[in-house]
Amino acid sequence: MRRDDDLRGAAAVRRAVIWSAAVAWAALIFALSSVPARSLGPPPFPHADKVVHFGLYLVLAALLCAALGQVARSGRLTTVAALALVVAALYGASDELHQRHVIGRDRRRGERLPAAIHT
Protein backbone atom coordinates (compact mmCIF):
# COMPACT_ATOMS: atom_id res chain seq x y z
CA MET A 1 0.00 0.00 0.00
CA ARG A 2 2.80 2.41 0.89
CA ARG A 3 4.50 1.91 -2.49
CA ASP A 4 1.25 2.81 -4.30
CA ASP A 5 0.95 5.98 -2.22
CA ASP A 6 4.57 6.87 -3.03
CA LEU A 7 3.97 6.35 -6.75
CA ARG A 8 0.81 8.46 -6.69
CA GLY A 9 2.64 11.19 -4.80
CA ALA A 10 5.53 11.16 -7.28
CA ALA A 11 3.09 11.32 -10.19
CA ALA A 12 1.29 14.28 -8.60
CA VAL A 13 4.59 16.11 -8.15
CA ARG A 14 5.56 15.35 -11.76
CA ARG A 15 2.22 16.71 -13.01
CA ALA A 16 2.60 19.85 -10.90
CA VAL A 17 6.13 20.45 -12.20
CA ILE A 18 5.13 19.98 -15.84
CA TRP A 19 2.05 22.22 -15.55
CA SER A 20 4.11 24.82 -13.66
CA ALA A 21 6.68 24.82 -16.45
CA ALA A 22 3.96 25.31 -19.09
CA VAL A 23 2.34 28.15 -17.15
CA ALA A 24 5.73 29.78 -16.46
CA TRP A 25 6.62 29.59 -20.17
CA ALA A 26 3.29 31.16 -21.12
CA ALA A 27 3.98 33.92 -18.58
CA LEU A 28 7.42 34.46 -20.12
CA ILE A 29 5.83 34.84 -23.57
CA PHE A 30 3.32 37.31 -22.12
CA ALA A 31 6.12 39.30 -20.45
CA LEU A 32 8.22 39.37 -23.61
CA SER A 33 5.28 40.52 -25.69
CA SER A 34 4.77 43.40 -23.26
CA VAL A 35 8.11 44.90 -24.31
CA PRO A 36 7.73 47.62 -26.97
CA ALA A 37 9.25 46.42 -30.24
CA ARG A 38 11.26 49.59 -30.75
CA SER A 39 13.17 48.96 -27.51
CA LEU A 40 14.46 45.65 -28.87
CA GLY A 41 16.51 47.24 -31.62
CA PRO A 42 16.91 45.98 -35.17
CA PRO A 43 16.62 42.23 -35.76
CA PRO A 44 19.96 40.42 -36.18
CA PHE A 45 18.82 38.79 -39.43
CA PRO A 46 15.79 38.92 -41.74
CA HIS A 47 12.66 37.36 -40.25
CA ALA A 48 14.31 36.89 -36.85
CA ASP A 49 10.96 37.69 -35.21
CA LYS A 50 9.35 34.77 -37.03
CA VAL A 51 12.10 32.40 -35.87
CA VAL A 52 11.72 33.60 -32.27
CA HIS A 53 7.91 33.26 -32.43
CA PHE A 54 8.26 29.74 -33.81
CA GLY A 55 10.70 28.71 -31.09
CA LEU A 56 8.71 30.22 -28.23
CA TYR A 57 5.44 28.63 -29.28
CA LEU A 58 7.08 25.32 -30.17
CA VAL A 59 8.40 25.06 -26.60
CA LEU A 60 4.95 26.04 -25.26
CA ALA A 61 3.29 23.36 -27.39
CA ALA A 62 5.82 20.75 -26.21
CA LEU A 63 5.26 21.65 -22.56
CA LEU A 64 1.48 21.57 -23.06
CA CYS A 65 1.78 18.21 -24.80
CA ALA A 66 3.68 16.83 -21.81
CA ALA A 67 1.21 18.33 -19.34
CA LEU A 68 -1.87 17.19 -21.24
CA GLY A 69 -0.30 13.76 -21.69
CA GLN A 70 -0.05 13.47 -17.91
CA VAL A 71 -3.76 14.25 -17.60
CA ALA A 72 -4.91 11.95 -20.40
CA ARG A 73 -2.66 8.97 -19.73
CA SER A 74 -4.73 6.74 -21.97
CA GLY A 75 -4.92 9.32 -24.76
CA ARG A 76 -3.16 8.80 -28.05
CA LEU A 77 -0.08 10.94 -28.60
CA THR A 78 -1.47 12.39 -31.83
CA THR A 79 -4.64 13.52 -30.08
CA VAL A 80 -2.72 15.02 -27.16
CA ALA A 81 -0.26 16.73 -29.53
CA ALA A 82 -3.09 18.14 -31.66
CA LEU A 83 -4.82 19.48 -28.56
CA ALA A 84 -1.54 21.02 -27.35
CA LEU A 85 -1.06 22.72 -30.73
CA VAL A 86 -4.59 24.11 -30.65
CA VAL A 87 -4.16 25.43 -27.10
CA ALA A 88 -0.78 27.00 -27.99
CA ALA A 89 -2.29 28.60 -31.12
CA LEU A 90 -5.20 29.98 -29.10
CA TYR A 91 -2.74 31.37 -26.57
CA GLY A 92 -0.80 32.94 -29.46
CA ALA A 93 -3.98 34.54 -30.78
CA SER A 94 -4.84 35.89 -27.32
CA ASP A 95 -1.30 37.25 -27.04
CA GLU A 96 -1.80 39.10 -30.33
CA LEU A 97 -4.84 40.77 -28.74
CA HIS A 98 -2.69 41.64 -25.72
CA GLN A 99 -0.04 43.20 -27.98
CA ARG A 100 -2.64 45.56 -29.44
CA HIS A 101 -2.65 47.33 -26.08
CA VAL A 102 1.13 47.55 -25.74
CA ILE A 103 2.45 50.95 -26.70
CA GLY A 104 5.13 50.59 -29.36
CA ARG A 105 3.81 47.30 -30.73
CA ASP A 106 2.63 47.47 -34.32
CA ARG A 107 0.40 44.54 -35.13
CA ARG A 108 -0.30 44.58 -38.83
CA ARG A 109 -3.19 42.55 -40.16
CA GLY A 110 -0.96 40.14 -42.12
CA GLU A 111 1.03 39.14 -39.03
CA ARG A 112 -1.85 37.68 -37.03
CA LEU A 113 -2.08 34.39 -38.87
CA PRO A 114 1.66 33.61 -38.81
CA ALA A 115 1.75 34.12 -35.05
CA ALA A 116 -1.06 31.59 -34.64
CA ILE A 117 0.46 28.99 -36.95
CA HIS A 118 4.00 29.18 -35.59
CA THR A 119 3.14 26.47 -33.08
Side-chain angles (χ1 to χ4, degrees):
M1 210 43 140
R2 175 138 167 92
R3 179 158 165 74
D4 290 340
D5 291 342
D6 289 346
L7 290 175
R8 272 189 240 124
V13 169
R14 191 171 32 256
R15 276 194 304 276
V17 167
I18 292 171
W19 276 107
S20 296
V23 170
W25 194 261
L28 174 69
I29 292 172
F30 184 85
L32 291 173
S33 67
S34 297
V35 175
R38 65 177 169 253
S39 68
L40 299 175
F45 56 89
H47 308 295
D49 60 328
K50 306 294 187 268
V51 173
V52 170
H53 263 105
F54 181 80
L56 288 171
Y57 284 97
L58 180 66
V59 170
L60 179 61
L63 289 170
L64 287 170
C65 188
L68 292 168
Q70 290 289 317
V71 172
R73 286 183 224 125
S74 62
R76 292 172 38 113
L77 179 60
T78 53
T79 303
V80 171
L83 180 59
L85 289 172
V86 168
V87 171
L90 289 172
Y91 185 75
S94 72
D95 193 51
E96 294 302 322
L97 293 174
H98 159 247
Q99 288 182 29
R100 286 184 176 184
H101 303 287
V102 175
I103 296 172
R105 283 281 185 171
D106 180 27
R107 206 73 225 139
R108 292 181 292 276
R109 194 173 293 171
E111 293 179 2
R112 291 185 197 135
L113 183 60
I117 62 172
H118 278 193
T119 57

